[in-house]
Structures are given as C-alpha cells and as structure tokens.
Amino acid sequence: MPSSHMNGDSDTGKITLAFSLSAIERLEDPKAAFEDAQNWSQSIGLIDDDTDRIERIVTEYDLRQDFDIQGRDKWFLLEEICETVPTPRHVYVGASDEDMRVSTLFCWEYVRVSKAAERADWKVSETRSDPGLVARLLAPVRDLID
C-alpha cells in the first residue's frame, strides 16, 4: 500500500503499522502484504494476545516483527507503543469489533483489513483455514466419486 493510500501524503516511514491475528489470517499472502507495507512504515508487526500463535505465523511467513510482545497483552502493547514509537500515525489493521475497541482506546487509528486490502491491492479470503480444512476433508470423498 503506497503511503499516499494510508496517510494522504507522500511521507515514507511515518506510520507504525500493526496487524491483529484475525486480520493477518484474512490475507491470502501475508508476506507480500508485509513487504509492501515496509515501503511506507517505520515499524510493522503483529500485536494480539496469543503470542505463541504470533511467533508461529511470523516464522511460517517470514514476517518482519518490530514489536517485542513477550509476556504482554495487546492492550498494554498498543498503549506502550503509542508512548514509545514516535511516528505521526499508529494504524492497527484488524478484522473484528474487539480489534477496533482495543485500538481506539489509545492513539491508534483502526482500519478494517478488508478496507486496507482494498486500498493496498492485497488479496483477502473469507477465512484461510476453513477452506483448506474443508478441501482436505473432502479430498478423499472426491477421490471415491471420481
């Protein structure tokens, strides 16, 4: 997503950008989205409560993770990052009402993943895990039918 799409000007590196787990799971290609966002973000990463799942996703997709999430919940992290990362804008990309609630209590702007993806030309799926699971479960049945 070019910087002009997120902040209305051409400043590069003026955004702190964080994704919730629910948002990253909606992206068809999280690595491509992160690589794109790195072009206009000073700091980028995942912030959510399930730190083990975040570590697995960061490793699986080889994502840049600028935030130290060890032992802290997302409420604390979002507040701390607002106070310690000096960018003009902090943007939290989420996919739920809970994501919106937690981000807007602090200095974060909330952007729903579908809107961020539309602006940035990222591809989203309804849910990445469910179709994969259904396809795996149906494969043996299809083999029997064919």
Side-chain angles (χ1 to χ4, degrees):
M1 179 181 321
S3 62
S4 59
H5 286 136
M6 280 301 278
N7 63 4
D9 61 30
S10 60
D11 292 341
T12 302
K14 300 294 186 190
I15 294 177
T16 297
L17 183 67
F19 290 84
S20 71
L21 284 170
S22 59
I24 210 72
E25 290 170 346
R26 293 281 312 277
L27 295 173
E28 286 190 8
D29 190 349
K31 185 168 178 66
F34 265 59
E35 287 173 351
D36 183 35
Q38 288 174 157
N39 294 320
W40 41 266
S41 300
Q42 177 178 311
S43 300
I44 187 171
L46 290 170
I47 296 178
D48 219 311
D49 287 329
D50 190 342
T51 56
D52 290 337
R53 205 159 118 225
I54 287 174
E55 287 179 24
R56 284 193 305 272
I57 289 172
V58 165
T59 301
E60 178 182 348
Y61 293 103
D62 190 28
L63 302 178
R64 179 173 149 191
Q65 176 68 351
D66 292 336
F67 310 121
D68 178 15
I69 58 174
Q70 295 298 325
R72 292 176 277 177
D73 71 13
K74 65 183 172 185
W75 295 81
F76 180 81
L77 279 168
L78 290 170
E79 181 180 25
E80 180 183 84
I81 290 167
C82 281
E83 295 171 355
T84 60
V85 180
T87 53
R89 296 180 68 212
H90 294 77
V91 178
Y92 190 63
V93 179
S96 69
D97 290 342
E98 168 67 15
D99 292 340
M100 181 175 64
R101 270 192 301 280
V102 70
S103 66
T104 56
L105 281 177
F106 306 110
C107 68
W108 294 83
E109 298 171 41
Y110 176 75
V111 178
R112 193 163 290 270
V113 67
S114 54
K115 187 165 189 85
E118 180 183 309
R119 289 179 179 174
D121 234 6
W122 301 332
K123 298 206 182 311
V124 294
S125 60
E126 287 309 307
T127 56
R128 285 189 21 227
S129 57
D130 290 347
L133 176 62
V134 171
R136 285 192 303 276
L137 292 173
L138 289 178
V141 174
R142 287 192 185 111
D143 290 344
L144 291 173
I145 295 171
D146 293 340

